[in-house]
Amino acid sequence: MTEDDWGFDPDFARTAAPLLDALYTTWWRVRADGLEHVPSSGPALVVANQAGGQPWDAAMLATALRRHGVRPDDPARFLVHGRPFELPFASTALRRLGGVPAAAGNAERLLAEGHLVLSFPEGGRGAGPGYARRYRLERLGHGGFVELALRSGAPIVPCAVVAGGPGLADRVMARVARLPRPPLPLPVPPAPARWRIAFGEPIAVAQHGPDAAEDRALVLELSEEVLARVQEKVYDSLVNREGAL
Amino acid sequence: MAGRRVLITGVANAFGARLARCLASDAGVERVVGVDTRAVDPDLAERIDVVQADLRSPDLAPAVRAAAVDTVVHNDIVQFPEPGRPRATLHDVNVIGTLQLLTMCDGLPTLRAIVVRGSASIYGSEPGAPAFFTEGDADRFPLRTRFQRDIGELERLVGAFARRHPAVTCTVLRLQPVVGRDLDTPVNRLVRAPVVPTVLGYDPRVQLLDADDAVGALGRAVLHPVRGAVNVAADGVVSLSRALRHAHRPAVPIAGPLWGPLVSAARSAAGQPALPDEIGRYLRFGRGVDTTRMRRELGFRPHHSTLEALGRAAGATP
C-alpha cells in the first residue's frame, strides 16, 4: 500500500534491488564518483548522456544513488523516451522502479513535488552514434531540460556515463552490440564493459527566476554549458579509465 | 441566479435521472425540463417537465423556448450501447444530437450556461502520455477510437458555440471512467465479472470516478459553471493490480494478442456486444488526470477515492 500516484512501488524496488546490484557490481563493475554533488533534499535535475542505452543508464544511476545512500527516503525518478513504455513487462517494471514517460509536464510535476529527476536529453540519438563518435555527446535536445530547471528553480547536476574503454575487447563488444537483437519484450543489457559514472557540481539556475525559461539566449547558453560539463566529465572518465573489461 | 430553469438531455439515463432528482429538490432551482426519447421513471416524471423528443430532430425548440431555460445540461452522450441507444446510433446521438442542441441554444435569449457531460477518453490511453493530463493536453495524441473522435467533435462544437456566445458559460466535464453498483456499462460488467481479464505484462495506472460523484460534479457545475474543460476524477491514481486486490477481484492475465478475441468471445457468450477499443487501451496503458481545476475553480471534491469507488462498484464495500 505504499505505491504513489506515479506508480512508483518501493516494495517492488526493494525486491529488484539484488538483481540491479548484481548488474552494478558484477556485470558492469560500475564506479561512481561525485555523489556528494547530488543535493540531498529538494528538487534537482540530473542531466546525463546515454552510454548503455536506456533504460540501463537510468537504472544504474539510480542504483549508484541508492548504494551510496543518497536520498534514501526519496529514490530518484527517471525519464524514459519512446518504446519501453509500450512493451509488456518492461513498462510495468520501469514504472514500479520510478520510471516516467518523458512527456511534457511529467518532469515539471516531479520537480514541483521535490523529487530528484534523472533525464537523458540526448534521447534516442545518444544510444547509437558510430564507434568513432561514441564518446562525443549528441546535441542535448532543444534545451527543454533547461527551461524545466528554470521554471522549477531546480539545480542542474551534470552527469557523465562512460561504458567501455580502449582496446580490442571494446571494439569487439561494440561490434557485438550492433548485431541485430532478438525481439524480446525486455531490453537486453548491453555488453559487460566496465562503467564509470561521474556527477559534476550542480549548476544553480534559481537566481534567473522562472520567467527566464522564455529567454532563448539564456536557455541555449545554459544548455551549452551543461553539454560542455558533461562532455568534460566523459573525457575525464576516459583518462582515468581502468580498461574496458 | 435565483429560480434556475434547467434543461437536462438524456434524462432517462442513469446520470440524467439522478441529476434531475437532485435539482428538483434543490430550493434554488425553479424548474427542471427533461428531454429524452425514452420513457422516464414515472415517479420522476411527476416532479419535472418531460419532453418526449429526439435531440437529433429540430422539433424540440418550441418547447424549450417556452420553458425559458437558463441552463442546459447536455447529458445525452453515450459511450456504450444502452437501452434505447443501439450501437449503430451512438455517433448520431453524440455528434448530430449535440449539433442540433447547440443550434437550438443559438436562439435561446435566456440561456446563461451549458454543462456537458464529456469524457476523459478524449486524452486516450497512451504509453508515452503525461502521467497527469491537464485540460490543455486534449490534442496531444491522435483521436484513435470511435468514441474519442465523437468526443473530440463534440468538444469542438461546444468550443465554437462558446466563442460565438461569450455571455454563455460553457463547461465540459471530462469524466474518468464512471463506476457504480447501479450502472450497467461494460466497465462495470468487467469489474463485476467472476474474473477480471487483464492484459499480461501490463499493469496500468487507473483512475476512476464513483457514479455518485459524477452526479455531484454535474450538479456542482450547474450551480457554479466555469468556462472550458474540467477534468473530473476521484482522488488517487493506482495500479490496476493493486486496485483489483483491494476490491478482492481475481484477475486473469491474458496475453496481449489473445485478449481481444477471448474477451469478445466471453461477452458474446453472455449476449453482449464486443468491448469498445478504448477499454482495451485503458487496460494496457491506463490514464491519470490532473484535478487541480476541479478543486480550485469548479470547487468540487469527490467523496470517494478510486479504490473506494472500485470497491463500491464491485460490491466489496458499502
Side-chain angles (χ1 to χ4, degrees):
Chain A
M1 299 305 282
T2 45
E3 177 194 74
D4 70 7
D5 271 3
W6 294 88
F8 169 71
D9 184 346
D11 293 337
F12 182 84
R14 258 193 297 282
T15 313
L19 177 69
L20 291 171
D21 280 341
L23 285 170
Y24 187 90
T25 55
T26 318
W27 187 258
W28 285 308
R29 288 143 295 153
V30 183
R31 204 181 124 191
D33 296 311
L35 285 124
E36 70 278 6
H37 293 312
V38 181
S40 56
S41 65
L45 183 67
V46 174
V47 175
N49 64 316
Q50 293 208 305
Q54 63 173 6
W56 301 106
D57 297 300
M60 288 301 106
L61 278 184
T63 306
L65 293 166
R66 173 171 53 78
R67 288 171 62 90
H68 288 82
V70 179
R71 297 188 172 227
D73 304 324
D74 176 31
R77 310 304 171 94
F78 50 96
L79 303 182
V80 182
H81 294 266
R83 295 260 305 147
F85 269 104
E86 296 171 24
L87 305 172
F89 301 107
S91 59
T92 306
L94 283 173
R95 179 178 55 71
R96 289 181 182 170
L97 288 172
V100 170
N106 278 346
E108 197 165 352
R109 198 179 178 104
L110 282 167
L111 290 173
E113 291 176 8
H115 293 294
L116 175 66
V117 179
L118 312 180
S119 70
F120 303 86
E122 283 183 295
R125 291 188 313 273
Y131 184 79
R133 285 180 53 81
R134 60 182 312 199
Y135 299 119
R136 289 283 305 170
L137 259 62
E138 296 293 316
R139 182 173 54 84
L140 294 183
H142 54 279
F145 71 96
V146 176
E147 290 177 32
L148 198 65
L150 286 168
R151 273 201 296 271
S152 58
I156 297 174
V157 183
C159 175
V161 184
V162 170
L168 182 64
D170 190 50
R171 269 175 190 280
V172 172
M173 281 193 297
R175 184 59 55 87
V176 170
R178 258 180 292 156
L179 291 178
R181 291 192 190 158
L184 293 178
L186 272 173
V188 181
R194 213 179 265 281
W195 278 30
R196 275 195 68 144
I197 295 173
F199 292 93
E201 279 176 36
I203 302 169
V205 296
Q207 73 274 17
H208 298 293
D211 294 336
E214 310 285 328
D215 181 351
R216 291 312 302 175
L218 179 69
V219 167
L220 287 177
E221 185 192 314
L222 284 169
S223 177
E224 287 302 316
E225 185 185 341
V226 175
L227 179 77
R229 294 257 199 119
V230 176
Q231 183 71 68
E232 182 191 336
K233 283 276 165 201
V234 167
Y235 288 145
D236 277 359
S237 297
L238 284 171
V239 170
N240 300 325
R241 67 205 154 192
E242 295 138 344
L245 295 170
Chain B
M1 275 188 263
R4 303 284 298 272
R5 295 159 164 262
V6 184
L7 174 86
I8 304 176
T9 66
V11 76
N13 73 22
F15 302 103
R18 292 182 55 186
L19 179 66
R21 277 201 183 87
C22 289
L23 292 178
S25 54
D26 190 313
V29 178
E30 185 186 320
R31 189 167 183 191
V32 178
V33 183
V35 180
D36 210 308
T37 49
R38 300 163 288 189
V40 179
D41 181 30
D43 172 47
L44 174 65
E46 281 176 18
R47 302 175 58 191
I48 63 170
D49 303 330
V50 178
V51 181
Q52 284 269 344
D54 191 336
L55 269 192
R56 289 167 285 171
S57 65
D59 54 357
L60 184 61
V64 174
R65 213 167 288 133
V69 298
D70 53 49
T71 305
V72 169
V73 181
H74 186 26
N75 165 64
D76 203 350
I77 293 162
V78 272
Q79 181 169 12
F80 310 112
E82 53 186 53
R85 295 279 182 274
R87 189 182 182 75
T89 65
L90 296 189
H91 169 78
D92 269 21
V93 170
N94 289 338
V95 177
I96 309 299
T98 304
L99 191 63
Q100 288 288 1
L101 179 73
L102 292 176
T103 310
M104 184 200 77
C105 289
D106 260 335
L108 217 55
T110 50
L111 189 67
R112 290 292 161 267
I114 296 181
V115 177
V116 179
R117 181 172 64 87
S119 167
S121 294
I122 194 169
Y123 302 121
S125 294
E126 302 285 339
F132 301 89
F133 279 102
T134 57
E135 283 80 359
D137 286 332
D139 50 4
R140 284 285 283 275
F141 297 100
L143 303 174
R144 296 185 200 279
T145 69
R146 182 197 53 75
F147 183 64
Q148 247 184 303
R149 288 189 290 271
D150 282 6
I151 285 286
E153 178 78 13
L154 186 153
E155 287 211 10
R156 207 177 53 77
L157 292 172
V158 174
F161 182 90
R163 277 194 298 281
R164 271 183 294 126
H165 299 270
V168 179
T169 309
C170 296
T171 313
V172 178
L173 300 183
R174 292 185 182 151
L175 272 53
Q176 280 280 40
V178 182
V179 292
R181 203 177 296 184
D182 320 323
L183 290 184
D184 184 27
T185 65
V187 178
N188 286 279
R189 281 176 174 268
L190 209 61
V191 168
R192 282 193 294 260
V195 291
V196 180
T198 57
V199 187
L200 183 66
Y202 291 95
D203 187 18
R205 292 162 63 250
V206 297
Q207 189 178 26
L208 303 169
L209 180 66
D210 191 271
D212 290 352
D213 287 327
V215 174
L218 282 168
R220 175 73 195 174
V222 168
L223 300 177
H224 300 267
V226 295
R227 286 186 193 278
V230 183
N231 293 334
V232 180
D235 290 334
V237 185
V238 296
S239 64
L240 181 64
S241 61
R242 182 177 146 213
L244 292 176
R245 266 200 311 280
H246 181 87
H248 304 294
R249 305 301 306 146
V252 174
I254 301 173
L258 298 176
W259 190 88
L262 281 178
V263 172
S264 299
R267 280 179 61 85
S268 69
Q272 295 286 323
L275 276 183
D277 298 340
E278 56 264 18
I279 294 188
R281 293 187 64 85
Y282 192 73
L283 288 178
R284 275 188 180 78
F285 306 123
R287 185 195 314 127
V289 299
D290 176 88
T291 53
T292 311
R293 195 150 195 250
M294 172 185 88
R295 287 160 199 293
R296 298 250 173 90
E297 294 181 40
L298 186 63
F300 176 73
R301 274 173 198 283
H303 289 292
H304 303 286
S305 71
T306 293
L307 286 177
E308 286 165 11
L310 185 69
R312 282 159 58 92
T317 46

